[in-house]
């Protein structure tokens, strides 16, 4: 009985020591670590959600741009169909086949200056057809950029 009483007394003293400082410190440190982990997880979740939302917006923008480009391509094809066959041919050789003026001249059996003037007239007619169909952006983009061919028609 004395041994049991001594063990109980020692246990009570150990509990009191822990309650005075050690247990409180231990509990506070455990809860603090848990709160820090939860806070970090919340930040990571928010960052992942923001990245997902941005990726979704980017995909929607890309889909819209693709739809616009497909529509522009169809409008361009329709306008090309309205051109005279010679004008379609010379534009096709220049734009679709990426031939130089010299190569086009050789294919058509004409001088390079003739190729340039025919291309200029074909571009003007195409711009006119695109403008008539209400496609101002495509009509404007048919003007080549200075310093390079760009999206030249």
């Amino acid at each position: 009985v004395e041994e049991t009483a001594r063990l109980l007394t020692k246990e009570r003293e150990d509990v009191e020591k822990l309650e005075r400082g050690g247990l409180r410190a231990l509990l506070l440190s455990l809860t603090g670590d848990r709160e820090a982990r939860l806070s970090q997880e919340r930040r990571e979740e928010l960052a992942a959600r923001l990245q997902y939302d941005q990726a979704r917006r980017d995909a929607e923008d890309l889909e819209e741009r693709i739809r616009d480009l497909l529509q522009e391509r169809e409008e361009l094809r329709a306008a090309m169909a309205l051109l005279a066959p010679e004008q379609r041919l010379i534009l096709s050789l220049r734009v679709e086949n990426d031939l130089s003026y010299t190569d086009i001249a050789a294919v058509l059996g004409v001088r390079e200056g003739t190729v340039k003037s025919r291309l200029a007239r074909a571009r003007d007619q195409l711009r006119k057809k695109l403008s008539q169909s209400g496609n101002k952006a495509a009509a404007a983009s048919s003007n080549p950029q200075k310093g390079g061919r760009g999206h030249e028609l």
Side-chain angles (χ1 to χ4, degrees):
V1 175
E2 287 180 28
E3 182 65 28
T4 305
R6 191 174 61 76
L7 282 174
L8 286 173
T9 304
K10 181 167 181 357
E11 287 293 320
R12 187 179 303 125
E13 288 172 359
D14 287 345
V15 168
E16 287 174 2
K17 284 180 186 175
L18 285 173
E19 285 178 347
R20 281 192 298 260
L23 183 60
R24 271 195 191 133
L26 178 64
L27 288 175
L28 287 175
S29 112
L30 289 175
T31 25
D33 288 347
R34 181 175 176 270
E35 288 299 318
R37 280 193 314 271
L38 286 174
S39 178
Q40 178 64 28
E41 287 173 4
R42 285 185 201 115
R43 284 192 301 273
E44 290 171 0
E45 180 184 346
L46 178 60
R49 193 176 309 136
L50 290 172
Q51 286 177 334
Y52 171 80
D53 290 345
Q54 184 62 48
R56 192 183 74 239
R57 283 190 301 273
D58 290 347
E60 289 168 356
D61 292 346
L62 185 57
E63 287 174 2
E64 183 179 344
R65 181 68 181 131
I66 289 171
R67 280 191 302 272
D68 291 346
L69 288 172
L70 289 172
Q71 181 180 352
E72 285 180 14
R73 183 176 67 183
E74 289 308 311
E75 291 171 358
L76 182 59
R77 283 185 180 164
M80 287 280 289
L82 299 174
L83 295 176
E86 300 81 24
Q87 291 175 330
R88 280 196 308 271
L89 174 62
I90 200 157
L91 283 171
S92 174
L93 291 172
R94 180 67 174 160
V95 178
E96 293 175 14
N97 297 300
D98 200 30
L99 295 183
S100 68
Y101 296 129
T102 305
D103 293 339
I104 295 170
V107 168
L108 297 179
V110 297
R111 295 182 316 175
E112 193 172 320
T114 304
V115 169
K116 290 178 182 181
S117 64
R118 287 183 185 176
L119 270 170
R121 283 193 294 277
R123 287 182 188 127
D124 287 342
Q125 283 300 308
L126 185 58
R127 272 189 219 99
K128 184 189 238 183
K129 303 290 184 198
L130 288 169
S131 293
Q132 289 170 350
S133 72
N135 189 328
K136 302 293 184 197
S141 72
S142 66
N143 287 321
Q145 301 284 328
K146 284 189 178 181
R149 286 183 50 204
H151 295 287
E152 178 184 0
L153 292 176

